[in-house]
Every structure is written in C-alpha cells, then in structure tokens.
Amino acid sequence: GETFSWLAWAYLINNQKEKSLETIKYHVENKSFEPESLYLMGRIYMNTGNTDKAKYFLALAKESSFELGPSISKQINGYLTLL
C-alpha cells in the first residue's frame, strides 16, 4: 500500500493524473491506513479536483499528526483550510 501511494504521487508530480488516480483507487484506498499514505491520498485527490475525498483523507492523516511531524501537520491544516 505505502509503496503504491508513493508511485501514485510520482505519477501526479509527472503530470500523469489518470495513472495517479488509478493507482490510488486500486492499490491504496481502503487497503493502506498508514499516515503517509493517507496524506498522499489526500494530496492526490486535492490536486485532481475531488475535494470531498481530499478532506476525508487529509482529516484522517491529521489524526496521526504526531507520526507525520510538525511540518506535514502544518501543511495538512493549511490544505484543510483551503478546501
């Protein structure tokens, strides 16, 4: 799950949004609950226009802010405010 979340992120930053979404949907969503995976799912959905799923996964990631660290936690709060 976690490896696929990073693969999906790599697709996204290389402007392959469809591949990114497909990877998340089939290999990560409802299969990985690691904080980094939740965070990356939130970011991917945010960057592909699905604000409901973005809010959902970012809120789940926020619950593990201790594991993600202060920098990512601050980013999550900022993204949730924007959404």
Side-chain angles (χ1 to χ4, degrees):
E2 197 167 354
T3 302
F4 279 111
S5 63
W6 283 108
L7 176 62
W9 182 251
Y11 284 140
L12 182 72
I13 62 174
N14 284 291
N15 205 26
Q16 297 180 40
K17 291 181 179 182
E18 288 302 317
K19 275 188 168 184
S20 178
L21 283 172
E22 183 179 305
T23 302
I24 283 294
K25 287 178 184 177
Y26 294 109
H27 300 289
V28 185
E29 195 171 330
N30 299 317
K31 293 181 177 124
S32 178
F33 302 96
E34 292 295 321
E36 277 190 342
S37 293
L38 297 170
Y39 170 70
L40 291 174
M41 281 191 282
R43 292 285 313 275
I44 289 166
Y45 281 122
M46 183 177 81
N47 284 291
T48 55
N50 192 329
T51 55
D52 289 338
K53 282 193 173 188
K55 286 179 195 176
Y56 175 74
F57 287 113
L58 288 171
L60 286 177
K62 184 178 176 179
E63 292 176 12
S64 300
S65 60
F66 180 78
E67 290 179 59
L68 292 169
S71 176
I72 298 293
S73 296
K74 188 175 181 178
Q75 287 179 20
I76 291 170
N77 287 332
Y79 296 138
L80 287 171
T81 301
L82 289 174
L83 295 170

